[in-house]
Amino acid sequence: ISYDGWSSTYNEAVELSKIRLEENKPADNSFQLKAGDKIEAYWGSSWYKATIEEIKICHIKVSYKNYNQSWDTWITDDRIRSVENSSNDKSSLIVECISGLYTNGLFGDVNVHVASESFTNLHRCILAARCSRLNDILQQHLHEKNIVIEDISSEIFKLLLEFIYKARVHLTPTTAVSLYSVAASNYPVDGLIKYCLRSIGNDCSSEDLLKAYLEYESKKSSLSALLSYDLEQALLDQMVVNFKSISESHLFHQLEKNQIISLVQKLASHFES
């Protein structure tokens, strides 16, 4: 299905029980559904207007390591690979080659200046192919060797570059939230939003998780409702599991009373769901 008003990057496979034709009218095998039909799909805790793009049998339901069952999804076998064989995948070789260009700067043809930091010997074709916003900026400065970008911090731009070239980057929960917000609002890169969400589950201290949550609270107004919901759920997933140590942290006891009440209420509701 595709979600009305959202790009194709949010398309996903859903089971029949998670769609309905209209309120109080769930879909079942008696309905002759077809591609193009307008339906509503259940995601998270709400129903969203959507369109059926394709109908086929999905054979595999997967769960993601370190995430609760709300993240489980149905996928087709062309979207999985064995852990043992993943290093032999041809895409890994391509990523390795592009990653090498980031490291050595060979054939670099543009320098990007962000705040007081300069990122030299970058590659126009890679930046433009991976990020539509960077493509727009490069098109505006087609014949310039040096480009200044002012709407992103140098710390986050460095992380963005590393993901563009390497398809991976080490993130703390806090930097994952910051990079997620940048990717969602200004610098979309294929796969980056989901990567940030999963990075929130990386090994970290309880205080790091709480810092990430506070960072999210400061940025959520700039996110769409769906993207904000995704990020909040990923944070709450981890915070529910680690709440005892979070409540004992120094940062937790520095929060305002209303912040503590709001957080505890969200965690309780999340736990019950």
Side-chain angles (χ1 to χ4, degrees):
I1 63 169
S2 60
Y3 290 97
D4 294 1
W6 296 92
S7 73
S8 59
T9 59
Y10 294 94
N11 290 8
E12 63 176 349
V14 297
E15 52 196 294
L16 191 61
S17 63
K18 289 190 176 181
I19 68 173
R20 66 185 185 186
L21 304 184
E22 57 188 57
E23 190 172 356
N24 299 322
K25 192 175 181 181
D28 58 39
N29 290 323
S30 67
F31 292 97
Q32 298 299 312
L33 296 172
K34 61 184 184 300
D37 282 354
K38 298 294 185 181
I39 49 96
E40 292 183 345
Y42 190 76
W43 194 95
S45 60
S46 302
W47 291 91
Y48 295 89
K49 294 186 181 300
T51 303
I52 295 176
E53 298 293 337
E54 185 180 4
I55 298 176
K56 60 182 178 181
I57 298 173
C58 293
H59 299 283
I60 304 164
K61 189 174 187 180
V62 299
S63 59
Y64 294 97
K65 184 178 180 181
N66 297 326
Y67 283 82
N68 68 28
Q69 62 184 14
S70 67
W71 292 85
D72 292 357
T73 187
W74 289 92
I75 62 172
T76 49
D77 58 5
D78 61 337
R79 290 179 57 197
I80 66 171
R81 65 182 180 186
S82 67
V83 175
E84 293 78 15
N85 295 329
S86 62
S87 61
N88 297 323
D89 191 80
K90 290 181 180 179
S91 62
S92 298
L93 179 59
I94 296 172
V95 170
E96 185 179 344
C97 292
I98 295 176
S99 175
L101 292 176
Y102 179 64
T103 303
N104 58 40
L106 190 63
F107 303 119
D109 57 1
V110 66
N111 304 319
V112 177
H113 306 281
V114 181
S116 59
E117 192 165 354
S118 297
F119 301 86
T120 59
N121 296 318
L122 303 177
H123 306 80
R124 288 176 180 271
C125 60
I126 295 174
L127 299 181
R130 293 281 280 145
C131 178
S132 59
R133 176 65 188 285
L134 289 176
N135 177 60
D136 291 341
I137 293 172
L138 292 167
Q139 292 283 358
Q140 294 168 13
H141 303 275
L142 199 56
H143 303 292
E144 297 176 34
K145 174 76 172 180
N146 294 285
I147 297 174
V148 177
I149 297 179
E150 299 179 337
D151 62 350
I152 186 173
S153 71
S154 57
E155 177 193 8
I156 298 303
F157 187 72
K158 184 176 182 179
L159 297 174
L160 180 69
L161 278 182
E162 191 167 342
F163 186 83
I164 284 174
Y165 277 88
K166 300 181 179 181
R168 64 182 184 276
V169 59
H170 176 71
L171 297 174
T172 66
T174 304
T175 54
V177 169
S178 297
L179 190 55
Y180 179 98
S181 301
V182 165
S185 58
N186 289 325
Y187 292 88
V189 178
D190 188 39
L192 180 54
I193 283 180
K194 288 185 178 179
Y195 186 91
C196 290
L197 290 176
R198 291 174 184 169
S199 295
I200 290 172
N202 290 345
D203 292 338
C204 62
S205 69
S206 298
E207 192 141 319
D208 285 338
L209 275 176
L210 186 53
K211 286 179 182 177
Y213 176 78
L214 296 175
E215 178 76 3
Y216 156 72
E217 285 288 315
S218 71
K219 296 181 180 296
K220 67 179 181 181
S221 61
S222 66
L223 300 173
S224 69
L226 185 58
L227 291 173
S228 177
Y229 177 86
D230 286 352
L231 184 53
E232 183 174 278
Q233 293 305 297
L235 286 163
L236 294 178
D237 280 345
Q238 302 302 319
M239 295 179 77
V240 163
V241 176
N242 297 280
F243 180 68
K244 185 177 186 299
S245 54
I246 288 174
S247 65
E248 295 171 348
S249 68
H250 178 67
L251 180 59
F252 183 85
H253 291 281
Q254 291 183 316
L255 298 179
E256 300 289 338
K257 182 179 179 180
N258 63 315
Q259 288 179 301
I260 294 176
I261 293 173
S262 174
L263 175 57
V264 171
Q265 287 176 338
K266 285 183 179 180
L267 289 172
S269 176
H270 189 75
F271 179 77
E272 290 172 358
S273 64

